[in-house]
Amino acid sequence: MTIARRTLLGSAAGLAALPAWAQDWTPPRPIRFVVPFAAGGATDVVARVLADRMSEKLGQPVVVENRAGSGGNIGVENVVRAPADGTVILMGTTGTLTINQHLYNNMGFDPVRDLAPISMAFATDHVLIVGPNVPARTAQEFIAWLRENPGKASFGSAGSGSSTHMVAELFRSAAKVEVTHVPYRGSAPALNDTVAGNVQFMLDQLPSAIGQIQGGRVRALATTGPRRTAQLPEVPTMKEIGLPDAEATSWGAVMAPQGTPAAAVARMNAVLREALADPAIQARLVAAGADAVSSTPAELSQKMVQEAATWGRVVRDARITVN
């Protein structure tokens, strides 16, 4: 099962390609750019990089606002309920746009129905990391070790239903191993316990784990993207180790409240796609462990529908619940 592929959807679109009615649109006041997580993660970093460029191109400040809580649902609902005039946008993620709807009862909104897609923004791989108490040195040795010790190993995640949990469930299913899930309140404490050996492994997002990997405190055994990452070129992909069904990529996308004027969506899409094609911005995202990915609104809408169905199956098959 392939959850998402690392591709640049569409090409850079300059404002000259827009119809006149879209070229004329300018924000009536500063734009709030809501990130539904705490500051410092990949989602926040990418939003701040793009906010700077959008401010330059749109003639109004674009201010990043972190609204964390409830797996990102608090920040998303804030945008859903905001005025649909182009002055409030969201940096949505795989979790908030396609997974949470299968985990939470009565969210009060539907991402597909209540949000207007603007453009994809970034994609990032997960990486299989093991702590110092794990004897395996390769992914194949690790899988063999897990099979020899069914039910004895545990993995940490940023919480039930988080992308780190969901991707680990893909790995568990593809590798046909019995392991125990230990949810934490965020990726950082889960990573710390992996380093300490309190859990044996984790499928963390690359931006979160890269420092501990480079510091030698955990070992990277495989990455989950369709190709090897520039940050860890020596580490094989899940497909290369014989687990193509464990391939998965987390991603982020810019959204607006449903009903936002078409001219506003078109203008912001053009600005974002131009920015994401800029080598300087691409380099800044790579440094944060992410790849620049752009799309048309229609491509993003299709992606959301397809991945919502895919992750729904993963949730049901693994019987994942969020209390």
Side-chain angles (χ1 to χ4, degrees):
M1 180 194 315
T2 300
I3 303 301
R5 290 195 173 274
R6 185 71 54 84
T7 54
L8 185 66
L9 303 177
S11 58
L15 293 182
L18 291 176
W21 53 267
Q23 291 184 47
D24 292 340
W25 184 84
T26 56
R29 56 184 177 276
I31 294 175
R32 284 197 304 122
F33 197 171
V34 176
V35 174
F37 303 103
T43 307
D44 179 71
V45 170
V46 175
R48 292 179 187 279
V49 170
L50 294 178
D52 289 344
R53 181 59 60 89
M54 293 179 76
S55 296
E56 296 173 10
K57 296 293 184 178
L58 295 175
Q60 285 279 15
V62 178
V63 182
V64 173
E65 181 179 303
N66 298 93
R67 285 184 172 252
S70 189
N73 289 340
I74 289 175
V76 177
E77 185 170 19
N78 179 265
V79 174
V80 167
R81 310 298 178 206
D85 60 1
T87 63
V88 181
I89 56 177
L90 168 76
M91 180 61 84
T93 61
T94 312
T96 57
L97 299 178
T98 68
I99 297 174
N100 284 1
Q101 60 193 280
H102 303 291
L103 298 171
Y104 293 85
N105 293 324
N106 304 317
M107 288 199 308
F109 62 89
D110 179 334
V112 174
R113 180 194 66 207
D114 297 329
L115 291 170
I118 297 177
S119 175
M120 287 280 292
F122 73 92
T124 184
D125 293 341
H126 289 247
V127 57
L128 170 62
I129 55 174
V130 298
N133 61 338
V134 173
R137 312 304 296 185
T138 68
Q140 290 87 347
E141 290 178 359
F142 180 58
I143 293 169
W145 181 75
L146 291 176
R147 290 173 179 168
E148 292 167 2
N149 298 276
K152 295 182 179 180
S154 58
F155 69 91
S157 80
S160 294
S162 65
S163 64
T164 53
H165 178 200
M166 302 294 282
V167 175
E169 290 291 352
L170 284 181
F171 169 75
R172 177 197 58 76
S173 176
K176 297 179 174 58
V177 294
E178 296 178 29
V179 293
T180 301
H181 174 220
V182 181
Y184 291 79
R185 291 183 178 272
S187 180
L191 181 58
N192 290 339
D193 262 14
T194 306
V195 172
N198 296 324
V199 293
Q200 283 65 55
F201 72 102
M202 189 177 179
L203 267 293
D204 202 4
Q205 288 190 7
L206 183 59
S208 301
I210 191 67
Q212 299 284 22
I213 294 168
Q214 292 173 339
R217 291 176 285 276
V218 294
R219 294 193 301 279
L221 302 184
T223 55
T224 64
R227 62 187 64 87
R228 296 192 182 197
T229 69
Q231 296 91 340
L232 300 171
E234 74 286 358
V235 178
T237 66
M238 287 290 176
K239 184 175 182 179
E240 288 177 312
I241 67 167
L243 299 180
D245 287 350
E247 184 178 303
T249 303
S250 290
W251 47 269
V254 182
M255 312 289 291
Q258 191 60 255
T260 296
V265 170
R267 178 83 189 277
M268 286 190 282
N269 175 269
V271 170
L272 286 167
R273 294 176 75 182
E274 184 179 47
L276 290 162
D278 184 336
I281 285 182
Q282 291 175 357
R284 291 180 66 183
L285 268 58
V286 167
D291 285 345
V293 183
S294 67
S295 73
T296 66
E299 288 168 333
L300 175 52
S301 178
Q302 182 181 25
K303 185 179 186 66
M304 289 172 60
V305 171
Q306 291 174 339
E307 292 211 5
T310 299
W311 285 118
R313 289 193 295 271
V314 174
V315 170
R316 291 190 297 273
D317 291 347
R319 296 184 174 89
I320 300 170
T321 59
V322 175
N323 296 324

